[in-house]
Amino acid sequence: QVQLVESGGGLVQPGGSLRLSCAASGSIFSTYIIFWYRQAPGKERELVAGISPNGDVRYLDSVKGRFTISRDNAKNTIYLQMNTLKPEDTAVYYCNADLQWRSYYRPDYGYWGQGTQVTVSS
C-alpha cells in the first residue's frame, strides 16, 4: 500500500520561500515517478513538477527557475523547494505517485496525499 504524507505548507509573504516535503511509505522510490500538483480555489488541479526514480525532472513553465523538486531516497522523501513565491502560487499542494509521466491532472492517476496549504500573502 502506498501512502503519501505532505508537510511544510504555511503562510509566507510574496518573495519568500517554503520547502514542502512528501514522505512516502512502501517501496515506491525505485518504481514510481513522484509529482507535485496544486489546486487553487475555484481552479482545476494542475501539475507543478515531477521527478523520476533516476532523477529526471519536469516543471510547469510558470514555476521554472523558482521551484526545485528533489528526492532523498534514504529518507523516502520528496521535496519541493519553492522560492520567490507569488500570490498566484497560493493553493493546496498535493503529492502524487504514478508509474508514468503525466502532463495534466486526472483523479484516477496513481496515489495521492492529503495535501498541504500554501498561502502567499502580505
Side-chain angles (χ1 to χ4, degrees), residues 5-83:
V5 180
E6 303 96 331
S7 62
L11 173 64
V12 63
Q13 292 187 343
S17 298
L18 278 177
R19 188 178 78 161
L20 305 183
S21 299
C22 172
S25 64
S27 58
I28 71 169
F29 270 65
S30 62
T31 306
Y32 285 80
I33 300 169
I34 307 298
F35 297 92
W36 284 100
Y37 288 76
R38 68 185 179 186
Q39 188 165 17
K43 295 187 177 180
E44 292 191 352
R45 196 170 299 188
E46 64 179 355
L47 194 153
V48 176
I51 186 166
S52 71
N54 64 4
D56 291 338
V57 297
R58 297 182 186 179
Y59 295 97
L60 178 69
D61 283 348
S62 63
V63 307
K64 285 180 180 178
R66 299 190 298 123
F67 291 10
T68 303
I69 189 170
S70 62
R71 59 194 299 147
D72 185 335
N73 291 342
K75 296 182 178 180
N76 277 14
T77 301
I78 296 291
Y79 301 101
L80 185 68
Q81 177 67 42
M82 305 186 295
N83 298 328

